[in-house]
Amino acid sequence: MHQPAHPSGIRRPPHRLRTLAGCAALLLAGSGGAAAAPAAPAAPAAIKVNQVGFLPSAQKLAVVPNGAQARFSVVDAATGKPVFDGSLGAAATWDASNERVRVADFSTLRAPGSYRIRVAGLPDSAPFSIKPGVYRALDVAALRSFTLNRSGIALTPAVAGPYARPLAHPDTEVLVHPSAASARRPAGTAISSPKGWYDAGDYNKYIVNSGITTYTLLAAYEHFPAWFDKLALDLPESGNGLPDILNEALWNLEWMATMQDPDDGGVYHKLTNKAFDGMVMPEQATAPRYVVQKTTAAALDFAAVMAVASRVLAPYDSQQPGRSARYLAAAESAWRWAEANPKVLYRQPADILTGEYGDKSVGDEFAWAATELLIGTGKDVYRARALASKTADGTEPGWADVGLLGVVSLAQPGVRLPQGVDAGPARKQLLAVADKLVARWRASPYRVSMGRTDFVWGSSSVILNRAMMLVAAYRVDPRPDYLNAAQSALDYALGRNGPGMSFVTGFGTRTPLHPHHRPSEADRIAAPMPGMLVGGPNPGQQDRKGCPEASYPSALPALSYLDHACSYASNEIAINWTAPLVYVAAALESLQR
Ligand code: G3I
Ligand code: 9MR
């Protein structure tokens, strides 16, 4: 049998090929209509374009290698007939990839259809659609990837299709690690801490990363309720009177609530094995689990998210009696613990080897939690620490930089603020962030906000978190370029990037086949679970030693990406990376036609 070459030159293990045939139907059953197992072309893309497509009214750009041609056309994908002609922009070099490129702008093409970009002398681009609802299946799959990555649940075929699996990680007997011991809960005490999502390619659960992730899903609902009210996810809870995105967020909120020590309000930093598992299915990963060290960052991220959850769930008190009030009380008690323990940073114990999510500065966590608690309670104690602007710098939030999340909450139109709380400064700050991003986007040869130094571990999420800032700014002040720059960020994630790949599993024609994701590697299903965002280019290449079987194709920041399961530094998936994809796809659907 012919073995298709992979975009990175790596051959796929044979068991994947054997299972390819039956996979398309199964995938459709299980993933809400995601693309079938992709047949990856051998040659790297020359013309780079969003491989899913565009809403009719959106700005539409592609990137073309500089050459002899000055013109491009858009052709019907089925017939090859040209439907649009345009001239390419001026050539410029993107130093992140060392490519000299020109931009093709076909924004005025609005007729629904399936198309490719054509430039004489180059292979046609990947196909893409222009149509209303173009990101619906993507948003459904992205959200459902959270469901498929739930811990402590048996996933039935009705819910999970081909990804059905037995109960794993019930986490009803988790041991208190010595680093987390207290008088009432000495080391070795068993506590129950079920549910939650697996963090990423590994099966552990981390409060800090749950913080920004859960916030992002809650904010997506808070900002775009009409979109999500109609987005059915076929969850076990569907039909219970809550929008499905909130049902999914609740799965993790319920876990987070168990991570708080009821005796003192402190919050354990993580729930984990001692060491990372092998590439096995969740039900095969049965090592003992521990809760490890209470930290200030965990308490504050917990406080912020619980305060947001309290406000978002308040209208659902008849379906979830008392939950909103309980979450606000939990948030306040975590805050009090943090005030009494303001500098407890995470220190990895010698016998624990899993992810750290260690953060050396917690000023931004204090500001975020104070802001959400101020919105929720109006109490003076939170006023002083809310939104100290020094603690919300930078152009995008991240798991260790959460200050801007508070800025977004406070700046949002429609959020009910207590008397005397002024959204003005937050709005000003948000617009300043968006202006900075628009300036970078406009000056970029690729028309993306990413420069050489932005390609860190999880770079795909950097640009999508920036898109979340741009969208939030657009809701305050609807300047078209805020939305255009956000569209470009999604275009980047879906193909207008250095490797010319969609970084979302199952979406686009060139898309990751081997994410560092244990179930996707171990399940013997050809395609990885759909809807997950991989970390993307990362010249740090921190996995080089662990990856002897393959090597990165390039050291250039934007090209330092390896579609191999060993590459946890460029090809892992993570909940905090997929979450802004959920937000941005929903935003572009809601704000464009
Ligand atoms: O803080 C420095 C910054 O000063 C410097 O400019 C920059 C240059 O690269 O590096 C920054 O540190 C990076 C840090 O993330 C903060 O962004 C480190 O190099 C980088 O190695 C570190 O990567 C983190 C990685 O874990 C390793 O700790 C990722 O952000 C984080 O997403 C990732 O998270 C893992 C979990 O631990 C375990 N589960 C999977 C998950 C995803 O890979
Ligand atoms: O699988 C782990 C991944 O989730 C983490 O992000 C990464 C960095 O902490 O580590 C991975 O585990 C690797 C370990 O660090 C080194 N040995 C190989 C492991 C991959 O299977």
Side-chain angles (χ1 to χ4, degrees), residues 18 28-29 53 123 170 214 218 242 259 281 346 360 375 389 395 425 428 508 536 543 591:
R18 282 202 302 273
L28 282 172
T214 311
L218 292 171
L242 256 65
M259 289 291 278
M281 290 298 285
Y346 182 67
K360 287 182 223 80
I375 296 171
S389 65
T395 45
K428 205 170 145 214
D543 49 16
L591 300 171

Side-chain angles (χ1 to χ4, degrees), residues 202-558:
D202 61 321
Y203 293 132
N204 305 301
K205 307 191 287 197
Y206 307 82
I207 285 291
V208 163
N209 205 39
S210 271
I212 183 168
T213 305
T214 311
Y215 172 83
T216 302
L217 296 189
L218 292 171
Y221 183 71
E222 199 171 32
H223 302 178
F224 304 107
W227 170 255
F228 289 108
D229 281 341
K230 281 183 283 178
L231 208 67
L233 302 177
D234 297 326
L235 306 180
E237 302 82 9
S238 291
N240 65 354
L242 256 65
D244 275 345
I245 187 174
L246 295 187
N247 278 322
E248 196 50 57
L250 263 179
W251 188 262
N252 204 58
L253 286 162
E254 291 192 73
W255 166 65
M256 290 180 78
T258 68
M259 289 291 278
Q260 182 170 45
D261 182 345
D263 292 328
D264 63 4
V267 179
Y268 305 111
H269 193 74
K270 62 177 176 174
L271 189 164
T272 182
N273 305 343
K274 286 199 166 180
F276 286 116
D277 297 291
M279 282 288 171
V280 298
M281 290 298 285
E283 61 274 19
Q284 295 165 325
T286 54
R289 310 263 274 179
Y290 299 85
V291 287
V292 181
Q293 202 195 338
K294 291 169 190 162
T295 63
T296 310
L300 292 168
D301 286 344
F302 174 101
V305 168
M306 287 296 170
V308 176
S310 169
R311 126 180 136 231
V312 173
L313 291 168
Y316 299 97
D317 216 48
S318 58
Q319 291 90 343
Q320 304 278 328
R323 191 183 289 279
S324 170
R326 254 190 341 267
Y327 282 179
L328 191 57
E332 291 205 82
S333 94
W335 170 270
R336 285 192 293 272
W337 187 93
E339 273 207 311
N341 300 272
K343 279 188 202 139
V344 186
L345 303 184
Y346 182 67
R347 285 185 52 211
Q348 180 96 306
D351 62 338
I352 301 285
L353 304 172
T354 53
E356 299 197 11
Y357 288 118
D359 186 357
K360 287 182 223 80
S361 57
V362 292
D364 55 318
E365 281 78 7
F366 267 109
W368 180 32
T371 304
E372 304 296 1
L373 281 162
L374 176 63
I375 296 171
T377 68
K379 289 183 187 167
D380 279 337
V381 282
Y382 304 118
R383 212 172 281 256
R385 298 205 72 157
L387 277 189
S389 65
K390 279 200 304 279
T391 51
D393 52 5
T395 45
E396 73 284 334
W399 62 260
D401 294 293
V402 292
L404 284 171
L405 303 179
V407 172
V408 168
S409 288
L410 198 47
Q412 281 322 292
V415 98
R416 242 204 277 138
L417 297 178
Q419 263 214 317
V421 176
D422 176 15
R427 291 190 171 166
K428 205 170 145 214
Q429 187 174 353
L430 186 60
L431 298 182
V433 165
D435 288 340
K436 220 187 262 183
L437 290 172
V438 162
R440 284 189 216 164
W441 161 78
R442 200 180 282 122
S444 155
Y446 250 71
R447 291 287 205 94
V448 293
S449 66
M450 301 289 281
R452 289 182 68 86
T453 54
D454 292 321
F455 290 90
V456 296
W457 190 315
S459 58
S460 308
S461 74
V462 170
I463 189 164
L464 288 182
N465 278 325
R466 288 178 179 176
M468 181 163 81
M469 295 301 107
L470 288 157
V471 164
Y474 182 83
R475 296 184 68 242
V476 172
D477 182 356
R479 298 189 206 175
D481 273 352
Y482 291 167
L483 206 55
N484 292 338
Q487 175 69 54
S488 275
L490 188 64
D491 294 348
Y492 171 94
L494 295 173
R496 179 150 54 88
N497 54 49
M501 297 199 41
S502 162
F503 291 132
V504 181
T505 55
F507 285 82
T509 36
R510 296 165 50 84
T511 173
L513 299 180
H514 291 289
H516 182 87
H517 179 240
R518 283 166 173 74
S520 289
E521 271 302 289
D523 63 8
R524 302 186 71 82
I525 296 172
M529 268 178 205
M532 303 183 297
L533 185 75
V534 299
N538 169 18
Q541 301 186 0
Q542 292 90 335
D543 49 16
R544 231 169 342 186
K545 275 206 196 107
C547 242
E549 54 278 58
S551 59
Y552 280 84
S554 172
L556 287 163

Side-chain angles (χ1 to χ4, degrees), residues 99-171:
E99 290 165 284
R100 198 157 174 79
V101 295
R102 302 171 75 156
V103 170
D105 186 341
F106 51 103
S107 304
T108 55
L109 176 61
R110 290 170 176 230
S114 174
Y115 305 102
R116 296 175 191 268
I117 311 288
R118 179 167 291 171
V119 173
L122 294 174
D124 286 351
S125 79
F128 59 89
S129 300
I130 295 177
K131 62 173 185 186
V134 69
Y135 304 135
R136 190 166 216 288
L138 172 71
D139 216 29
V140 167
L143 266 170
R144 282 182 46 86
S145 78
F146 287 83
T147 319
L148 297 178
N149 284 298
R150 283 185 184 187
S151 163
I153 190 170
L155 289 173
T156 62
V159 168
Y163 305 105
R165 54 174 168 79
L167 174 72
H169 298 103
D171 289 340

